[in-house]
């Protein structure tokens, strides 16, 4: 019986594959037009709309009275709920709020607009205080963190923040998740970071100047420093401390600011020298350290890479990042600050075509691509706030502090912090699922359409509240694997198979190529209706 059931399943799978293959071949043969992604409309959590039930604001025509209006609709039971006497007197016509028996607001609105006595009839709309809703931390400088809470709506009709306060109503993170920050080091003694700095307990509780855990590094309590070949990753520049604060400055502790993840741990991985550069070998050693610690049970969910270069492709660097992905570690990388197109001039490591890489552009308070930010419809995945971002800082002269900085270096950690929060809420999901949650949750904004793969900016609340599961094959992220996905796959296969964006969106097996294996995965999921959706 078991063999028969298996044969039936195999037959169904092969049948699906053949149907899908035929469909793709037909599209490839007949279509020369661009097949557009049918993505859903923008979704956001701003409190908009709403009106008073059963009531309408009315402005009468000059010379008319409300008594005349009431007499003209005797069966409606019109009642003057409020008269605005001073406004009426100054503008020389009647203004009032009107109700009418059991009529709904929309029914009363239609009735009053039909009257020749009424100049204007409008719903009595709700107005909201300019707060962000959700959970507000008690950190005194939180009000300066526009990326997390910005109630002012932009021209797109939504706030430019990542909806962090709404997300915190569901999840504020845990101390289990670790984000490794490869950078200039971290001020692990900073009052807003000390509680959330990862500590290697074997070394912290061990003997000084002894490799207590046998990992090849002596006294690597907070991480390591490959730039200076020691185990002290104290910051030398401030950049790494700023990045770390965006990710996981202690939240709701009454000190300074809050990070996206209130409780996650930051692993300090220092690779940069005082002169401001890091060799690829330094970076690869740091990734190797992450892999070793992951094997030892440290739950590293993401590596933040707020750095890069052009004309510096390296297969060995790519392989190291790929190894991190195979270990279940996302690699969140800054897209670059050269105002350039990463599709034309790749910026590494962000531009590597790997399933665990998320490449991040920077947006500003107006929800536009920051003027300095790189972009790329194929090679840059999404935007995140990266302009005038307040975070923790370290200065060798003044010590612990806070500072504003701008750059895609500030945008990438917004996404890194988000992935750790997703890991806390959905610990069973893998790298692919967390990446898809980030992509499917974005607020689509006009300035990123045609400049990033998703056409959107990070929205943490949306990503946390997506329904359904991960479905390799749901390319347009509408919650189903359907003919629309097959059409997009066919376009990528026939016309754009070498473009990184299509590989990122459709390279389901993560082998760096768009081929029959990916088609097989898509066909195996064809017809599923339980995929991630809003």
């Amino acid at each position: 019986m078991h063999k028969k059931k298996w044969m039936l399943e195999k037959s169904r799978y092969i049948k699906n594959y053949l149907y899908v293959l035929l469909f793709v071949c037909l599209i490839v043969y007949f279509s020369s037009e661009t097949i557009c992604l049918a993505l859903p409309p923008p979704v956001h959590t701003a409190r908009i709309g709403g009106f008073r039930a059963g009531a309408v604001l009315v402005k009468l025509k000059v010379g008319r009275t409300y008594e005349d209006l009431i007499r003209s609709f005797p069966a409606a039971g019109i009642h003057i709920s409020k008269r605005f006497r001073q406004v009426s007197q100054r503008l020389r016509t009647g203004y009032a709020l009107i109700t009418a028996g059991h009529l709904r607001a929309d029914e009363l609105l239609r009735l009053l607009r039909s009257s020749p006595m009424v100049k204007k009839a409008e719903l009595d709309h709700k107005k909201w205080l300019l707060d962000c809703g959700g959970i507000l931390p008690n950190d005194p400088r939180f009000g300066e963190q526009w990326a997390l809470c910005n109630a002012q709506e932009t021209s797109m009709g939504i706030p430019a923040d990542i909806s962090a306060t709404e997300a915190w109503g569901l999840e504020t993170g845990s101390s289990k998740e670790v984000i490794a920050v490869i950078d200039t080091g971290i001020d692990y003694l900073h009052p807003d970071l000390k509680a959330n700095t990862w500590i290697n307990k074997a070394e912290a509780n061990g003997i000084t100047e002894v490799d207590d855990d046998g990992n090849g590094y002596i006294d690597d309590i907070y991480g390591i420093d490959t730039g200076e070949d020691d185990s002290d990753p104290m910051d030398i520049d401030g950049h790494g401390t700023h990045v770390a604060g965006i990710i996981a400055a202690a939240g709701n502790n009454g000190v300074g600011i809050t990070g996206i993840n209130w409780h996650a741990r930051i692993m300090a991985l220092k690779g940069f020298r005082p002169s401001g550069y890091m060799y690829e070998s330094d970076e690869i050693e740091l990734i190797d350290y992450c892999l070793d610690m992951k094997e030892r049970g440290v739950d590293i969910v993401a590596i933040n890479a707020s750095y890069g270069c052009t004309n510096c492709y390296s297969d060995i660097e790519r392989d190291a990042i790929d190894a991190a992905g195979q270990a279940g570690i996302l690699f969140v990388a800054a897209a670059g600050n050269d105002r350039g197109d990463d599709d034309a001039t790749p910026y590494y490591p962000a531009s590597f075509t790997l399933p665990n890489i998320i490449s991040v552009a920077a947006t500003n308070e107006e929800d536009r691509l920051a003027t300095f930010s790189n972009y790329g419809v194929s090679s840059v995945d999404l935007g995140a706030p990266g302009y005038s971002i307040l975070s923790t800082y370290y200065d060798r002269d003044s010590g612990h502090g806070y500072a504003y900085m701008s750059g895609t270096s500030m945008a990438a950690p917004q996404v890194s912090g988000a992935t750790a929060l997703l890991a806390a809420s959905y610990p069973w999901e893998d790298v692919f699922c967390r990446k898809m949650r980030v992509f499917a949750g974005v607020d689509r904004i006009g300035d990123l359409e045609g400049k990033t793969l998703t056409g959107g900016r990070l929205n943490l609340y949306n990503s946390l509240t997506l329904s359904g599961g991960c479905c390799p094959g749901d390319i347009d992220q509408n919650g189903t694997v359907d003919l629309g996905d097959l059409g997009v796959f066919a376009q990528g296969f026939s016309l754009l198979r070498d473009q990184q964006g299509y590989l990122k969106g459709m390279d389901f097996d993560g082998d760096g190529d768009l081929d029959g294996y990916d088609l097989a995965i898509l066909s195996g999921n064809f017809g599923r209706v339980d995929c991630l959706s809003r």
Side-chain angles (χ1 to χ4, degrees):
M1 291 296 293
H2 292 294
K3 183 176 180 181
K4 183 177 180 181
K5 183 179 179 181
W6 179 83
M7 290 298 292
L8 287 172
E9 285 294 312
K10 183 178 179 183
S11 175
R12 181 189 64 80
Y13 183 87
I14 293 172
K15 186 178 179 181
N16 266 1
Y17 178 80
L18 292 174
Y19 280 142
V20 170
L21 181 61
L22 176 62
F23 182 85
V24 170
C25 290
L26 288 172
I27 291 181
V28 169
Y29 184 78
F30 289 109
S31 175
S32 60
E33 298 296 319
T34 299
I35 303 169
C36 298
L37 293 177
L39 293 173
V43 175
H44 57 88
T45 57
R47 297 184 298 183
I48 61 173
F51 49 84
R52 187 191 297 269
V56 171
L57 286 167
V58 172
K59 172 186 177 181
L60 293 179
K61 290 183 178 179
V62 176
R64 298 292 188 172
T65 68
Y66 283 106
E67 289 70 24
D68 295 335
L69 183 64
I70 292 170
R71 285 193 293 268
S72 68
F73 296 109
I78 290 177
H79 171 70
I80 310 301
S81 179
K82 294 182 182 179
R83 290 180 185 264
F84 306 112
R85 301 184 186 281
Q86 290 297 321
V87 174
S88 300
Q89 181 178 336
R90 290 176 180 274
L91 299 180
R92 299 180 182 179
T93 190
Y95 290 83
L97 180 69
I98 289 180
T99 59
H102 299 291
L103 291 180
R104 299 194 312 266
D106 60 324
E107 295 172 331
L108 179 58
L109 187 68
R110 286 194 295 271
L111 179 69
L112 293 173
R113 284 179 173 175
S114 70
S115 171
M117 303 180 191
V118 174
K119 179 73 173 179
K120 290 283 185 181
E122 300 171 344
L123 295 173
D124 189 13
H125 292 104
K126 293 179 180 178
K127 302 295 184 185
W128 297 95
L129 290 173
L130 287 178
D131 62 44
C132 297
I135 303 298
L136 301 179
N138 63 10
D139 304 276
R141 300 192 68 177
F142 174 70
E144 299 173 62
Q145 294 182 270
W146 70 265
L148 306 181
C149 174
N150 181 11
Q152 295 286 352
E153 293 183 359
T154 66
S155 59
M156 294 295 295
I158 56 176
D161 61 56
I162 66 170
S163 297
T165 56
E166 292 89 343
W168 292 333
L170 304 172
E171 181 66 70
T172 57
S174 79
S175 60
K176 180 178 177 290
E177 290 75 37
V178 177
I179 305 96
V181 174
I182 298 179
D183 217 289
T184 62
I186 293 172
D187 178 7
Y188 46 76
L189 300 177
H190 194 292
D192 235 353
L193 293 175
K194 187 175 181 179
N196 285 354
T197 298
W198 172 78
I199 293 178
N200 184 351
K201 293 181 180 179
E203 294 290 343
N205 299 327
I207 303 171
T208 303
E209 298 185 3
V210 172
D211 181 10
D212 300 281
D213 58 1
N215 69 349
Y217 298 93
I218 296 171
D219 297 340
D220 54 318
I221 296 173
Y222 306 106
I224 60 172
D225 177 358
T226 57
E228 298 292 326
D229 290 320
D230 61 40
S231 297
D232 183 9
M234 176 56 78
D235 203 346
I236 56 170
D237 175 81
H239 187 276
T241 297
H242 199 275
V243 166
I246 294 170
I247 297 170
N252 207 41
N253 66 340
V255 177
I257 63 163
T258 185
I260 292 170
N261 194 309
W262 291 8
H263 309 291
R265 298 300 187 248
I266 298 291
M267 179 182 286
L269 300 179
K270 179 180 174 184
F272 283 84
R273 292 158 171 76
S275 48
Y277 66 90
M278 170 179 68
Y279 289 115
E280 285 167 349
S281 58
D282 299 321
E283 176 197 19
I284 293 167
E285 184 180 353
L286 294 172
I287 296 172
D288 197 68
Y289 181 85
C290 284
L291 292 172
D292 182 43
M293 286 303 177
K294 182 85 171 180
E295 280 193 359
R296 292 167 182 263
V298 180
D299 188 15
I300 302 172
V301 299
I303 295 172
N304 189 88
S306 289
Y307 54 82
C309 56
T310 56
N311 300 313
C312 58
Y313 180 90
S314 166
D315 276 319
I316 296 174
E317 180 189 17
R318 182 187 183 279
D319 288 349
I321 298 170
D322 186 26
Q326 293 176 29
I329 303 173
L330 281 165
F331 194 89
V332 183
N337 301 332
D338 304 318
R339 306 182 184 184
D341 184 349
D342 285 359
D343 292 353
T345 305
Y347 187 83
Y348 298 109
S351 293
F352 285 124
T353 303
L354 286 170
N356 64 317
I357 286 183
I358 301 178
S359 175
V360 189
T363 57
N364 62 22
E365 292 173 273
E366 297 177 351
D367 239 1
R368 297 183 179 278
L369 184 73
T371 56
F372 54 77
S373 180
N374 287 8
Y375 54 91
V377 68
S378 294
S379 56
V380 179
D381 295 314
L382 77 161
Y387 176 78
S388 192
I389 303 298
L390 176 67
S391 186
T392 49
Y393 194 71
Y394 175 75
D395 183 271
R396 280 176 286 185
D397 295 326
S398 57
H400 319 305
Y402 299 87
Y404 287 91
M405 295 181 72
S406 298
T408 54
S409 284
M410 285 64 250
Q414 309 274 355
V415 177
S416 294
T419 62
L421 214 62
L422 294 175
S425 285
Y426 303 96
W428 60 87
E429 291 188 344
D430 59 14
V431 164
F432 174 83
C433 288
R434 286 175 193 154
K435 182 174 177 177
M436 289 302 101
R437 277 191 177 276
V438 170
F439 286 12
V442 298
D443 277 328
R444 302 262 302 287
I445 57 176
D447 209 40
L448 294 182
E449 293 283 356
K451 294 180 181 177
T452 63
L453 183 65
T454 63
R457 183 249 312 126
L458 176 69
N459 184 310
L460 182 53
Y461 178 81
N462 283 350
S463 293
L464 274 174
T465 56
L466 291 170
S467 60
C470 295
C471 302
D474 183 19
I475 303 166
D476 59 12
Q477 298 171 356
N478 68 349
T480 64
V481 182
D482 53 22
L483 293 179
D485 301 303
L486 292 179
V488 178
F489 186 92
Q491 180 194 35
F493 196 83
S494 63
L495 304 175
L496 299 163
R497 62 180 301 174
D498 295 325
Q499 286 199 11
Q500 294 177 2
Y502 283 88
L503 289 172
K504 284 187 176 185
M506 298 185 288
D507 180 20
F508 306 125
D509 59 3
D511 66 354
D513 195 15
L514 189 59
D515 52 29
Y517 294 104
D518 302 302
L519 179 58
I521 292 171
L522 189 152
S523 63
N525 285 300
F526 187 75
R528 284 187 62 176
V529 296
D530 59 341
C531 305
L532 291 172
S533 63
R534 291 187 279 192

